[in-house]
Amino acid sequence: MVKRATIGDVAADAGVSTATVSRVLNGGAVTEATATRVWEAVSRLEYTPNALTRGVFAGRSSTIGVVIRDLSSPFYLDLIRGIDEVAAANDSLVMLANTFRRVDREVAQVRTMDEQRVRGLIVTTGEATDGRTRRMAENGTPCVIIARSVLDAPPGMHSISLDNVEAGRLMAVHLAGCGRSSIGVVSSGRRTSQIERTAGLRRALADLGLPLPEDAVMVAETEDEVSGAVDTLLVRGRDRGEPLDAIVCTTGRLTVAVHAALTARGIAIPGDIAFVTMDDFPWATALGITVIAQPSYQMGLKAGELVVDRPSGPVELVFAPTLVARTSCGERQKA
């Protein structure tokens, strides 16, 4: 086994002290001749600086911590890609943690990121972690909250979210334009994003003279609950004398389950029921599913930049959603 070169080996090879080597590696002031000797020694010995030791002296690591609620959601894949691109361009690594939508894990993993003295923290967690992230921001660690805004954020605590009300409005207008009037909604819970999307949908439908009944919204926390939610929506529509001709899914995480529940019942999309959902992903094109796309890659880039650039005040960014119309709402029949 080849012994890993140490900073002492580099100093001996270059004929300088370890302090001088450290100064050269960290961009300190030395003569050009000294710097040249040190870098030549680094190259000959294939020396790799110890980032852990460097972090100890700096009081902070070069790692960007990312805490994700649920990696099964297509939204997060491009978000992480954007974060990682910024991290790589700035000599940082991404430390990723998945909470599996459990609040206790969210709290524990944010605490661990703080204990690791990460360069910055990007989270998609709920409000249970806000106390810790506020303290981290106040202590000099930039924190970015994804998918919701934060009230009275201190300097260094930023937020990036989608205009969820507009996402709901786009769904309503598109379905109405495709001739759909009896709509059911599958939502994934009580998060702000879900509430706002449903509110935007409801408001836009009312403006179009198509009120959304209160019982036309079902919550499915997990994929296992989707089938029952779809059954309930279908029954309620029939009981109102308004059989459903469209279903909206307000989260990309449940898209597969909702689509499967409809097809398993022999319901033709879009012949019997139109279907529109959140978040774009490769196989949505193959299935012709109309979606409301979030610019998740751009959101990830901006989150990484907020960590690296460290703006002084709190920054709140709201991105616009985009309708990607395909065929699942009867678009071709309409044309």
Side-chain angles (χ1 to χ4, degrees):
M1 183 179 294
V2 178
K3 179 178 176 291
R4 183 191 294 272
T6 67
I7 193 171
D9 296 331
V10 174
D13 189 272
V16 298
S17 67
T18 56
T20 298
V21 174
S22 179
R23 197 154 50 244
V24 171
L25 295 178
N26 289 287
V30 297
T31 66
E32 184 177 347
T34 299
T36 299
R37 291 206 312 275
V38 169
W39 285 118
E40 287 176 348
V42 167
S43 178
R44 276 193 299 274
L45 298 174
E46 297 182 345
Y47 171 69
T48 302
N50 188 324
L52 181 60
T53 301
R54 182 184 299 172
V56 170
F57 284 105
R60 193 164 304 285
S61 76
S62 61
T63 302
I64 297 176
V66 180
V67 180
I68 298 296
R69 293 189 81 225
D70 188 349
L71 283 173
S72 67
S73 172
F75 167 76
Y76 294 123
L77 300 180
D78 278 342
L79 179 80
I80 294 169
R81 188 165 62 90
I83 295 169
D84 188 62
E85 185 166 317
V86 175
N90 288 274
D91 300 321
S92 286
L93 290 175
V94 171
M95 180 188 297
L96 180 65
N98 184 16
T99 71
F100 298 97
R101 308 180 71 81
R102 286 174 45 188
V103 174
D104 59 330
R105 286 179 65 94
E106 290 181 3
V107 173
Q109 289 170 351
V110 169
R111 182 182 65 246
T112 299
M113 294 292 184
D114 190 13
E115 292 169 349
Q116 293 291 321
R117 297 296 187 265
V118 291
R119 177 178 185 174
L121 179 65
I122 300 170
V123 300
T124 67
T125 55
E127 296 178 357
T129 62
D130 282 358
R132 171 76 68 165
T133 51
R134 282 178 183 274
R135 289 194 297 275
M136 290 177 68
E138 290 166 351
N139 290 330
T141 303
C143 296
V144 184
I145 313 299
I146 303 288
R148 62 185 176 89
S149 58
V150 180
L151 295 175
D152 301 319
M157 188 173 185
H158 317 294
S159 66
I160 294 176
S161 60
L162 186 76
D163 186 341
N164 291 297
V165 173
E166 174 64 7
R169 189 195 71 82
L170 288 174
M171 289 176 166
V173 171
H174 186 69
L175 287 171
C178 291
R180 309 295 168 148
S181 59
S182 181
I183 297 166
V185 179
V186 177
S187 175
S188 70
R190 311 301 179 190
R191 294 198 83 193
T192 301
S193 61
Q194 300 297 299
I195 295 170
E196 290 177 344
R197 289 168 194 168
T198 303
L201 176 77
R202 188 186 300 279
R203 186 182 308 162
L205 288 173
D207 290 343
L208 293 165
L210 302 170
L212 181 69
E214 291 294 331
D215 67 355
V217 180
M218 286 293 297
V219 172
E221 295 280 358
T222 67
E223 292 184 352
D224 291 339
E225 297 174 3
V226 166
S227 182
V230 169
D231 277 338
T232 299
L233 290 173
L234 294 171
V235 169
R236 288 176 178 174
R238 288 196 297 268
D239 290 347
R240 285 193 302 269
E242 300 175 345
L244 295 189
D245 59 13
I247 281 187
V248 167
C249 181
T250 61
T251 173
R253 183 172 61 87
L254 299 181
T255 296
V256 174
V258 175
H259 191 276
L262 292 172
T263 55
R265 286 156 180 76
I267 295 172
I269 301 172
D272 299 322
I273 288 183
F275 180 50
V276 60
T277 188
M278 287 295 303
D279 297 327
D280 205 5
F281 29 89
W283 56 263
T285 302
L287 293 177
I289 298 176
T290 294
V291 303
I292 302 298
Q294 302 189 61
S296 50
Y297 172 70
Q298 287 76 16
M299 294 165 90
L301 286 176
K302 184 55 66 174
E305 290 169 0
L306 288 171
V307 167
V308 171
D309 295 342
R310 303 175 65 89
S312 56
V315 175
E316 180 177 356
L317 300 174
V318 180
F319 284 75
T322 303
L323 172 72
V324 181
R326 296 192 173 102
T327 60
S328 65
C329 297
E331 289 87 349
R332 283 182 179 170
Q333 290 88 328
K334 178 190 170 191

